[in-house]
């Protein structure tokens, strides 16, 4: 069985991650953001070529909402056994790497917050997903430019979210920050003017 078929049958379909697929190996009807690399729009480059070049290391295409849904299902349901989840989140120092590594994720500590996450990069796209185990929030940032770092945006969002109690209705005292729906639900959207400076 092909790896992408196993991913589809074992993860994507059971978790209803309908906006996630293996580019170059599966067809998908949605329009993709145009990819940029070194200031050049590379939209005319074969998507099959890019997907198969990255193979299982970077050909998964998704949306921020689907990625947040994946992280929530991964860490807050019985998708994995408790033993597997504990193994995955046992972090060790890794030679010449700035973060502690677990199985498939790393531990990131921007400021006082601790996140578990993983990034991805391929020709024209760059992404990062952070999960905060203390408040069970997820931040996913996807950009359509290989050389733009989504980690800075994710860190700034994390700092703002840390000051918001996501389980209660939010009083919008910061006029630059809008949180909705209010009261919050399973997926929270944040509109922020001047969030990243």
């Amino acid at each position: 069985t092909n790896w992408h078929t196993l991913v589809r049958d074992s993860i994507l379909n059971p978790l209803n991650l309908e906006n996630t697929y293996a580019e170059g190996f599966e067809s998908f009807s949605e329009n993709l953001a145009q990819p940029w690399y070194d200031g050049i729009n590379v939209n005319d480059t074969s998507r099959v070529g890019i997907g198969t070049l990255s193979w299982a290391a970077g050909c998964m295409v998704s949306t921020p909402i689907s990625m947040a849904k994946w992280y929530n299902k991964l860490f807050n349901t019985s998708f994995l056994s408790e033993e597997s989840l504990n193994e995955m989140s046992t972090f060790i120092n890794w030679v010449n790497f700035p973060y502690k590594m677990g199985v498939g994720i790393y531990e990131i500590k921007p400021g006082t917050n601790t996140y578990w996450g993983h990034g991805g990069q391929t020709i024209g796209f760059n992404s990062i997903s952070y999960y905060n185990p203390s408040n069970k929030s997820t931040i996913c940032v996807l950009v359509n430019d290989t050389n733009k770092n989504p980690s800075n945006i994710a860190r700034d969002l994390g700092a703002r979210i840390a000051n918001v109690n996501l389980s209660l209705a939010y009083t919008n005292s910061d006029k630059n920050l809008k949180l909705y729906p209010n009261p919050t639900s399973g997926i929270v959207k944040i509109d922020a003017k001047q969030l990243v400076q």
Side-chain angles (χ1 to χ4, degrees):
T1 303
N2 293 323
W3 69 270
H4 58 88
T5 303
L6 288 171
V7 169
R8 169 76 42 208
D9 293 344
S10 302
I11 300 172
L12 303 180
N13 287 343
L15 298 181
N16 296 315
L17 298 174
E18 61 278 350
N19 292 320
T20 304
Y21 72 102
E23 185 176 52
F25 300 92
E26 298 179 293
S27 60
F28 193 67
S29 60
E30 292 289 324
N31 290 328
L32 294 176
Q34 295 198 4
W36 287 77
Y37 183 83
D38 260 350
I40 300 169
N41 184 329
V42 292
N43 195 48
D44 291 335
T45 304
S46 165
R47 303 304 314 157
V48 171
I50 291 174
T52 55
L53 171 71
S54 303
W55 202 61
C59 76
M60 296 304 293
V61 172
S62 193
T63 63
I65 290 174
S66 287
M67 288 302 301
K69 187 176 179 181
W70 159 242
Y71 269 68
N72 183 55
K73 297 282 187 179
L74 178 64
F75 294 116
N76 295 309
T77 67
S78 57
F79 179 74
L80 289 179
S81 69
E82 187 175 342
E83 179 184 4
S84 292
L85 191 56
N86 287 338
E87 182 179 358
M88 185 176 185
S89 59
T90 299
F91 299 99
I92 61 169
N93 289 318
W94 197 258
V95 177
N96 296 324
F97 195 72
Y99 310 115
K100 288 186 173 182
M101 294 293 297
V103 178
I105 59 172
Y106 41 83
E107 183 181 62
I108 308 126
K109 292 191 175 187
T112 58
N113 301 311
T114 297
Y115 293 98
W116 301 346
H118 196 75
Q121 184 183 57
T122 189
I123 297 170
F125 299 98
N126 204 336
S127 69
I128 190 74
S129 294
Y130 287 168
Y131 172 76
N132 185 325
S134 64
N135 67 15
K136 300 182 190 285
S137 64
T138 302
I139 299 168
C140 299
V141 180
L142 286 67
V143 294
N144 61 326
D145 190 326
T146 304
N147 297 321
K148 301 297 183 205
N149 186 349
S151 297
N152 297 332
I153 298 169
R155 278 193 300 271
D156 288 345
L157 283 170
R160 296 301 282 270
I161 289 172
N163 297 322
V164 177
N165 184 343
L166 296 179
S167 63
L168 302 173
Y170 174 66
T171 311
N172 193 11
S173 58
D174 181 346
K175 299 302 179 197
N176 290 325
L177 183 68
K178 289 183 175 54
L179 183 70
Y180 60 94
N182 190 359
T184 61
S185 64
I187 294 179
V188 177
K189 297 179 181 179
I190 298 174
D191 283 345
K193 297 175 188 170
Q194 301 171 347
L195 181 64
V196 180
Q197 297 184 11

